[in-house]
Structure formats: C-alpha cells, structure tokens
Amino acid sequence: MDNLSYCRQYIISDSRLEPLPGWCEVDIHGELFVIHHPDLDFSRVDSPKEEGGVVVLGYIIDPMTPNLTTLEIAERLARDSNTFDDLLSNIFGLSGRYVIIYWSEKEAKLVHDPCALRKAFYFFGDKNLFCASQPGLIKNFHHLDGSQDLDLVDFISSEKFLKNESFWVGDETVYHNVKQLMPNFYLDLRSKNVNRYWVNNPEKLGSLDEAVKEISTILKGSIDAASRQRLVMQSVTAGWDSRVLLAASKCVSKRILYFVNTMNVYKDNHMDIAVPKKMLGDMGLEVNIFREMPKLRDEFYEVMKMNVEGARKLPKTLAIQYYHDFHYGKLNINGNGSEIVRCYYGEKCAESSMISSSYVIKKAGLDQDSTYLHRKVEDWLADVRDLVEEQDLNVMDLFYWEQRMGNWGGMFMSEQDVAVEGFMPFNNRRLLVLALGLDDKYRVGPDHILHKKLIKEMWPELLEYPINPDTLKVKIRNLLVTGMPEGMKEVIKNILRS
C-alpha cells in the first residue's frame, strides 16, 4: 500500500525538498518549492504580464461554465488577477476543493476553498517555512515538538472529544507552533502572517425567490461540472441535504452512481435505505446499496493513521475502505456544508456582543468543562464580533462554517483521500454568502423553507417522498413537549430508555 502513503497530499517550503517516491516536484521561481502525490490534481499557470502566476493544488469548478477544466479556470485566474485581492474576488463564485498559491513581484499568498476542505497546516521556523496538507507531512521533513499546551492535551484526551468524533475548535494542532489555516483566512508566504478576509456578493438579491434561483444554478452547475471531470458517486439518504443535491443532479443523473451506505448497521426498513430505494426506483434510477462491507483491515487503518493526524475509527471508516476497494479515484459527492445554510444550531437568539463561550459550547454540544474550549471559543468570538455585526450574521452559522466545517468537515475529507476525492457542492462562497443573507426564518427547521423551495425549483417530484420521517420514538418524544401530565411523561420516558 506504498502508493497510498499521504495520498492526494502536498507540502510547500521555501527550500528544496526531496520528493517522496513517485511524487512530483515544482519549482516556483526559486522562491517556493512544492512536492505532491501523483493522484493530487495539479495546475500551474504563469502570468503573461509579469513574473507571477497561480498554482492550484486540487480541483476547481465553475458552476456558471461547467465545461471548463481546472487548468482553464487557472488560466483565467492568472490572466484576470493583477493582485491577490483580485484573485479573492475572482474565486468568489467557484466550487471545488483546492489550495491556490498566488505569486507576483509584490505578493506570494496562499488561500484555500471556502470551508478549508483542502487542508493547509503551516509552520514558520527561524529559517524555514512549511505548509502542508497534514502536520505529519511537515514532520517528515522537519523536527516538530509536541504541543506544550496542557489544556489542549486534556481536551483531546477526554471522552467527550472522542464521542464528538474529534470535533476540534481553533487552529492549534498537537504539534508546537504548527497551526491550521482556517476558513476565511489566507496565508502571506513572505511576511509569514495569517489574515482574515471576507468577500461580499457584488449583487444584492432582493427576495427569497431570487436567492433560490441563484443557489439552484450554483448547485446544478457544480454537479454538472463535476460529472464532466471524472466518474461521480453520490450518497442518497432520507435527509434534507441529500434531497437538495439529488434534485440538483437531475439533468446529469445518468452520469452518477447513486448509493446508500448501510455502514453494516442499517436494515432495509431504515428510512435512509427505504426512502432512497423507493424514490430513485420511481425515477427510473438505480440505487446501489453498500452492505456487508468487509471488516476493517489493520493495514488499511494504519495507512489512514499515518496519512491523517488523529484519524478516527468510525462506522464511516469502514465505508472509506469500501470506496478504496471498489470505487478508487471517483469523486464522492456529499451534502456537508448545507448545515451552514439551514441554521443547524437554530435561529439567532442573542446579540453577538452578549454571546459567551458557554453559550457557543452549549449550542454546539461540546464539553463545558474544557478550559481549552472556553479559551479558544472566547478568542474566536473576539475575532468575529465586528464581522458578525457588519454582515448581520448568525454567529452560530459562522461557527459551523469556520469551526465545524473547518475542522470536523475537513478531517473527513482528508480521511477519504486514501480512497476517493471528495466534493461538497455547498462549498461555494457565493452560495454561502447568499444564503446567510436571508432571514433565519427561511432557513431554520423544522420547515426548512429555503431547502423546500430549492427542491421544488430543481426537481419538484422529490417533495412527494418523506424527508427525515419520524420514527415511533421521535413521535413519542414530540408528544412530551405538549401538555401531557408529568406522571405520564415519566412513564413514557422510562419506556423509551428501555
């Protein structure tokens, strides 16, 4: 499994690096040196105007021009970006999973996709600069000391951390002075500074219906473009996020392998099996049910642990091995990131100036006893307060974008790299800014008005099938919030616990 070592990964330095076996090497005018795994998409375009250009590690999609390749988009970016600020404006409407290096006589900067799904970890030494897809890759070329932050060590050693699928908060890592580039930040490779940025939609849309049409166009164009670039597989469940993406794939459905992942747990009567099977069958489409997946092999998990710092052993880890064995190299579409759009943590219910670390940690279901979490969340709140007020954002939506997707979401994508390339159509800055500009009442559950309108716009027949139908236990729990006598509530609670 040597070819899977650091699969689809890269490292950048200001000094030449000895490539790993089979890896590719790139010299950017003697200033920066890049080596990358051969399965990682790579494009380089030198600017015709001066000694500058762009390097793209990963792939980019233009939903408005789905026939363009990453190289063609990179050529346009190099031609039309006279400054790094120009580049930030020019990637505003793009989808994909990428890191872009922009360089010119005046600037050398690095930025990644909106949700930081193509990871970038950096280390600024006294003599050297390193930026890589994983901190372990930096450790391959430079000695790293473990973190000296005892609060951090306590946090990642806690049972709550493991129960939350290693949901990290902040830009710290287990290594001293190695940090992660978070969403809505870019890296200045010359000054060795990290800077926050925000790009607004240049066109203000006045209504929900206008936003629905625009978001629908982005989602449909993104999936169309993805299906042109490589073989595509797409998970289907009974949930909202999956339904929206299924609707967005209507026009290219014949190019897509739709699948349901049982994780060797779900039975045929589970809603995430039964609903997709019925729905896709009625639409004349085949659904592939991944069941009886082979036991997780020790050697496969060892490669994952080497490739990804803190790689987890979860039911979905078994699915990653299955993707490797039967679908290696495909583009795997999932609905992550949609939670940002649909107010995952609920409507805005407090002014940002009144929100504390305890409020955020409780809303996110994290460990209230963690000193590290309180410190990092307080730091984050202090950093985003002006942005939240200026843009009138729901602070918990921004938390999901920057912390949940920037850490937990990106980690899952990195774990998948050993098997497939990941694609998240909601990972589009124009889409996210458009959606966050809408009133919370259109986005929040249980009605999910925006999601419902998106499905109606793209494939209305899909609304005829249940979305997250309640199980018997959920229906009974819902009754408990009504005026039922307390004694009866306790009886039913005891039944549910049994």
Side-chain angles (χ1 to χ4, degrees), residues 155-431:
F155 166 62
I156 63 174
S157 303
S158 69
E159 185 178 348
K160 188 91 172 184
F161 178 72
L162 296 177
K163 282 186 175 179
N164 280 318
E165 295 188 355
S166 306
F167 179 4
W168 198 287
V169 172
D171 62 354
E172 304 289 336
T173 71
V174 296
Y175 297 105
H176 181 58
N177 285 340
V178 176
K179 295 191 175 183
Q180 177 184 187
L181 187 65
M182 302 300 290
N184 299 319
F185 284 83
Y186 68 83
L187 189 63
D188 190 320
L189 297 167
R190 288 181 181 155
S191 69
K192 298 182 179 180
N193 287 324
V194 178
N195 299 297
R196 176 177 283 280
Y197 74 98
W198 186 265
V199 180
N200 269 321
N201 189 352
E203 304 163 11
K204 293 291 183 183
L205 297 181
S207 71
L208 171 63
D209 288 341
E210 287 178 312
V212 166
K213 289 188 180 298
E214 187 69 25
I215 293 170
S216 296
T217 299
I218 292 170
L219 291 174
K220 289 189 292 185
S222 294
I223 294 179
D224 180 9
S227 68
R228 293 171 188 244
Q229 292 192 12
R230 65 182 82 196
L231 294 175
V232 171
M233 55 194 288
Q234 181 170 330
S235 172
V236 186
T237 70
W240 281 103
D241 310 331
S242 162
R243 193 70 54 89
V244 170
L245 292 188
L246 178 60
S249 73
K250 179 182 180 182
C251 293
V252 295
S253 57
K254 300 301 182 184
R255 301 183 205 157
I256 296 175
L257 184 149
Y258 295 107
F259 72 94
V260 171
N261 184 4
T262 68
M263 294 186 285
N264 287 0
V265 175
Y266 298 159
K267 305 299 181 185
D268 283 352
N269 62 351
H270 190 280
M271 64 179 182
D272 284 334
I273 307 294
V275 173
K277 190 175 179 180
K278 168 67 173 167
M279 182 169 55
L280 289 172
D282 288 352
M283 301 299 154
L285 298 170
E286 180 183 358
V287 58
N288 297 268
I289 301 178
F290 296 168
R291 62 173 97 236
E292 297 180 3
M293 293 180 285
K295 180 182 176 183
L296 185 64
R297 300 186 296 273
D298 290 342
E299 65 271 21
F300 185 84
Y301 183 57
E302 287 303 314
V303 171
M304 278 189 62
K305 287 199 298 182
M306 177 186 72
N307 289 2
V308 180
E309 193 70 47
R312 304 158 300 178
K313 186 180 284 189
L314 302 169
K316 53 191 171 188
T317 310
L318 195 64
I320 294 173
Q321 178 182 267
Y322 188 84
Y323 302 159
H324 168 267
D325 293 349
F326 298 100
H327 299 282
Y328 184 84
K330 287 184 176 139
L331 194 67
N332 187 20
I333 297 176
N334 73 61
N336 287 352
S338 172
E339 302 91 344
I340 303 167
V341 172
R342 59 178 172 87
C343 293
Y344 183 83
Y345 295 123
E347 289 183 88
K348 187 192 302 183
C349 55
E351 292 298 319
S352 62
S353 59
M354 304 298 292
I355 291 175
S356 65
S357 61
S358 294
Y359 174 90
V360 173
I361 291 169
K362 182 179 179 180
K363 277 277 191 180
L366 300 174
D367 185 1
Q368 285 282 6
D369 296 328
S370 170
T371 303
Y372 173 80
L373 276 181
H374 280 279
R375 187 177 81 235
K376 298 308 293 184
V377 172
E378 285 293 351
D379 289 347
W380 179 79
L381 285 170
D383 183 43
V384 303
R385 276 203 171 97
D386 288 346
L387 174 65
V388 167
E389 290 175 7
E390 288 168 8
Q391 304 299 327
D392 192 24
L393 299 172
N394 180 332
V395 71
M396 292 308 300
D397 289 341
L398 190 61
F399 181 83
Y400 200 102
W401 180 350
E402 296 193 351
Q403 299 299 330
R404 177 73 167 171
M405 289 310 305
N407 282 297
W408 173 86
M411 186 173 191
F412 177 58
M413 286 290 199
S414 297
E415 289 170 335
Q416 280 193 120
D417 276 338
V418 73
V420 292
E421 178 63 271
F423 178 44
M424 200 177 84
F426 282 94
N427 185 32
N428 178 291
R429 185 172 295 277
R430 180 173 173 79
L431 184 157

Side-chain angles (χ1 to χ4, degrees), residues 444-492:
V444 74
D447 294 332
H448 296 294
I449 294 170
L450 173 61
H451 277 53
K452 198 173 292 182
K453 281 182 170 287
L454 287 170
I455 298 167
K456 185 177 181 180
E457 174 75 18
M458 297 184 287
W459 199 344
E461 292 81 3
L462 298 185
L463 288 172
E464 297 172 11
Y465 300 86
I467 300 176
N468 283 339
D470 289 343
T471 63
L472 178 59
K473 281 192 174 184
V474 171
K475 288 177 180 177
I476 295 173
R477 284 194 185 100
N478 289 340
L479 287 174
L480 297 180
V481 301
T482 65
M484 183 183 293
E486 288 301 319
M488 183 61 72
K489 287 183 182 180
E490 288 306 313
V491 170
I492 293 178

Side-chain angles (χ1 to χ4, degrees), residues 119-166:
K119 308 309 297 176
F121 294 87
Y122 59 92
F123 172 80
F124 298 145
D126 294 334
K127 297 180 180 179
N128 295 105
L129 169 154
F130 294 94
C131 180
S133 47
Q134 283 292 310
L137 199 46
I138 299 175
K139 193 176 181 181
N140 248 14
F141 294 91
H142 185 88
H143 173 75
L144 297 177
D145 294 319
S147 174
Q148 300 167 9
D149 186 337
L150 296 182
D151 292 336
L152 182 151
V153 174
D154 286 344
F155 166 62
I156 63 174
S157 303
S158 69
E159 185 178 348
K160 188 91 172 184
F161 178 72
L162 296 177
K163 282 186 175 179
N164 280 318
E165 295 188 355
S166 306

